[in-house]
Amino acid sequence: MKNKCDVIKDLLQSKQISFPKEEVLVFAPSNIALVKYWGKRDTELNLPQTSSLSVTIPKKGANTRLKLIDAEQDHIILNGEALDAKHPFAIKAADYLTLFRPITKRFYQVNSDSNIPIAAGLASSASGFAALVMALNELHQWQLGLEEQSILARMGSGSACRSFWPGFVEWHKGQNDDGMDSHGEPFNVPWPDLCLGVSLVSEQIKPVSSRDGMNRTTQTSPFYPAWPNKVEQDLENIKQAIYDKNFHRFGQVVESNALAMHATMMSAWPPILYWLPETVEHMHRVWQLRQQGIGIYFTQDAGPNLKFLFMKQQIGDIQKQFPMLEVVALFSKQ
Ligand code: DP6
């Protein structure tokens, strides 16, 4: 079995190692899974049990500045704050950079600004790791293709492998032990009027990380064996709904997939419940709106915040129910 360092060596061995630049600045967007990744077949390489499908959130994500430093360890700055080496995010980032050390032999300063709440189930780790890989690639001038960068980012955080393209992106689970076939691929069917709304219930750091949550679920939930079949059907149905621009079919897949994922967590032991009372209250408001004929569906990740999907024409009606809603046009041209 290969480990992460072996995969990195394989990927970089054919690349010309030229002089690194002094400093680079990159932006990577976040993405929200519509058919979720929940559970790994290989925890070392972050290889998933199932494929998944996401939509990229334009302009929301991480701006990361990477620079080489003469120091004995990496320095991580997050949203302007220099993190102590024992901070969980500093550990995650430094552990990841350590994987590249046999090749790069250098230490880095990572200065990352995220314009989304960290660890509140808004996929900040996806944009964070995608940006780190983009920055490493640019700093060292490796000229890796997007699929190769997606493979590298996946080893930092699985969902990060979908952040390299705009629009809908499918992460293929792949079959190979080394994961070289497990990366994102754009699903190039735009949906111009599709919007996402984020209803913030809490910006608290989640009590159980997605990583621990999914591992506990695969190990202990009696319902987990049903999950791969559900995902396979949902992937087929969502792609068809996107081709047909059938919003209600699309929304039904999205909402039902998220609820099924949460059902596997609730049935894990110890149980995992990311929901707060306000989360449930927002769900009921969504269902009430649907009863009134307004097309709105929700999805929820490993946190209490819901993300809503709706068409541009419904924004006014939805904002009457959710005045604080932040709306993003997912396929906007600017
Ligand atoms: C619920 O990608 O954060 O958001 O691979 O362990 O870093 P690791 O997990 P992560 O999990 C994301 C889980 C999810 C669903 C999804 O984005 O597909």
Side-chain angles (χ1 to χ4, degrees):
M1 280 300 255
K2 288 200 171 164
N3 64 27
K4 289 182 192 146
C5 281
D6 299 331
V7 173
I8 290 173
K9 255 190 238 147
D10 286 355
L11 262 173
L12 293 178
Q13 70 181 358
S14 63
K15 303 291 162 191
Q16 195 153 7
I17 303 296
S18 49
F19 283 113
K21 295 179 183 171
E22 287 267 300
E23 185 175 334
V24 292
L25 175 65
V26 301
F27 171 76
S30 193
N31 72 77
I32 296 294
L34 303 171
V35 173
K36 311 287 187 191
Y37 146 56
W38 196 251
K40 307 182 194 212
R41 67 182 156 90
D42 180 335
T43 48
E44 160 70 16
L45 299 178
N46 269 348
L47 297 175
Q49 290 277 1
T50 69
S51 298
S52 54
L53 189 131
S54 62
V55 65
T56 293
I57 315 187
K59 297 188 216 115
K60 292 253 176 230
N63 280 297
T64 296
R65 199 176 280 282
L66 187 69
K67 116 177 168 197
L68 292 167
I69 50 169
D70 289 317
E72 305 279 290
Q73 60 176 12
D74 299 307
H75 290 178
I76 316 292
I77 303 169
L78 186 60
N79 293 335
E81 187 197 337
L83 300 183
D84 183 89
K86 292 199 195 91
H87 189 287
F89 289 117
I91 294 175
K92 253 185 145 181
D95 281 354
Y96 187 70
L97 290 169
T98 303
L99 302 171
F100 292 83
R101 205 90 61 210
I103 294 168
T104 64
K105 319 259 192 269
R106 297 293 298 269
F107 288 94
Y108 303 92
Q109 186 191 73
V110 183
N111 190 342
S112 192
D113 280 321
S114 171
N115 60 5
I116 43 179
I118 301 288
L122 290 167
S124 54
S125 80
S127 53
F129 277 101
L132 196 50
V133 169
M134 286 177 192
L136 281 166
N137 181 47
E138 213 167 306
L139 190 88
H140 291 285
Q141 307 191 61
W142 288 328
Q143 303 190 346
L144 292 163
L146 291 177
E147 282 181 6
E148 294 170 310
Q149 292 181 57
S150 171
I151 289 169
L152 289 179
R154 189 244 300 140
M155 295 194 294
S157 184
S159 50
C161 81
R162 300 180 305 229
S163 272
F164 290 84
W165 298 270
F168 297 115
V169 178
E170 183 170 5
W171 169 11
H172 298 287
K173 67 176 173 166
Q175 312 270 330
N176 299 352
D177 283 349
D178 64 2
M180 293 306 282
D181 55 351
S182 183
H183 52 74
E185 187 192 11
F187 181 70
N188 272 326
V189 185
W191 199 336
D193 288 344
L194 188 66
C195 292
L196 179 104
V198 180
S199 96
L200 268 193
V201 159
S202 158
E203 293 197 36
Q204 296 285 308
I205 296 211
K206 51 199 171 195
V208 183
S209 70
S210 345
R211 185 156 303 183
D212 294 346
M214 70 175 82
N215 290 341
R216 192 189 300 172
T217 306
T218 46
Q219 284 156 17
T220 65
S221 165
F223 298 147
Y224 191 77
W227 173 248
N229 291 338
K230 163 82 178 146
V231 171
E232 207 173 303
Q233 277 168 25
D234 284 349
L235 279 171
E236 208 178 298
N237 289 334
I238 202 166
K239 286 193 244 176
Q240 195 57 51
I242 294 170
Y243 277 127
D244 297 345
K245 299 283 176 292
N246 183 337
F247 178 71
H248 289 288
R249 187 151 180 231
F250 168 83
Q252 193 179 332
V253 174
V254 170
E255 197 171 296
S256 134
N257 184 270
L259 288 169
M261 175 182 73
H262 284 274
T264 67
M265 303 181 204
M266 290 176 205
S267 53
W269 196 262
I272 304 162
L273 187 69
Y274 289 109
W275 305 16
L276 293 175
E278 297 87 335
T279 314
V280 179
E281 200 262 317
H282 283 194
M283 287 178 181
H284 283 283
R285 273 201 251 168
V286 166
W287 295 327
Q288 264 164 22
L289 281 167
R290 281 222 294 277
Q291 271 186 347
Q292 294 162 22
I294 295 164
I296 172 170
Y297 294 83
F298 66 80
T299 186
Q300 182 188 358
D301 292 298
N305 302 307
L306 297 185
K307 294 115 206 179
F308 304 139
L309 289 140
F310 46 87
M311 303 309 287
K312 193 167 128 201
Q313 296 72 10
Q314 308 276 20
I315 292 177
D317 287 330
I318 291 170
Q319 276 179 330
K320 273 186 214 140
Q321 270 291 344
F322 294 98
M324 305 303 281
L325 198 68
E326 196 185 335
V327 177
V328 182
L330 292 167
F331 291 83
S332 82
K333 285 265 156 17
Q334 322 107 40

